[in-house]
Amino acid sequence: MKKVEDLITSARTMHDRYAAGRMERDIVRKWVLGLGSYPEPHGKRVQEAASWFKPLRDDADPVELKAADLAKLQAIYQP
């Protein structure tokens, strides 16, 4: 298990970079899928994000997909 503070900082950074177009979805996806276990309430949010990012979702609308991705990332770091 890793530190929650590091998770929160990293998730916020990933969210902000992805939202600004400075990071590709595939990098965000790999980061989320590589996260370990965390205590609640963050653990459940990390698992939900991993479930969301696991399929590639190549056929989804890019604007809607990015909005949903950002919401999953935000859920990790916001109470």
Side-chain angles (χ1 to χ4, degrees), residues 24-70:
E24 297 292 322
R25 182 179 195 271
D26 191 51
I27 293 170
V28 175
R29 181 178 174 273
K30 288 176 183 176
W31 177 80
V32 170
L33 294 177
L35 292 173
S37 62
Y38 290 88
E40 294 306 326
H42 301 288
K44 181 179 178 185
R45 295 177 191 157
V46 167
Q47 289 177 340
E48 289 171 355
S51 294
W52 168 256
F53 278 97
K54 191 164 187 166
L56 288 175
R57 302 185 189 274
D58 290 337
D59 58 344
D61 175 81
V63 174
E64 292 178 7
L65 180 62
K66 188 168 185 174
D69 290 348
L70 290 170

Side-chain angles (χ1 to χ4, degrees), residues 2-16:
K2 301 174 186 171
K3 291 185 180 181
V4 172
E5 296 83 19
D6 293 340
L7 170 68
I8 291 169
T9 301
S10 295
R12 183 169 287 148
T13 299
M14 296 297 274
H15 176 277
D16 293 348

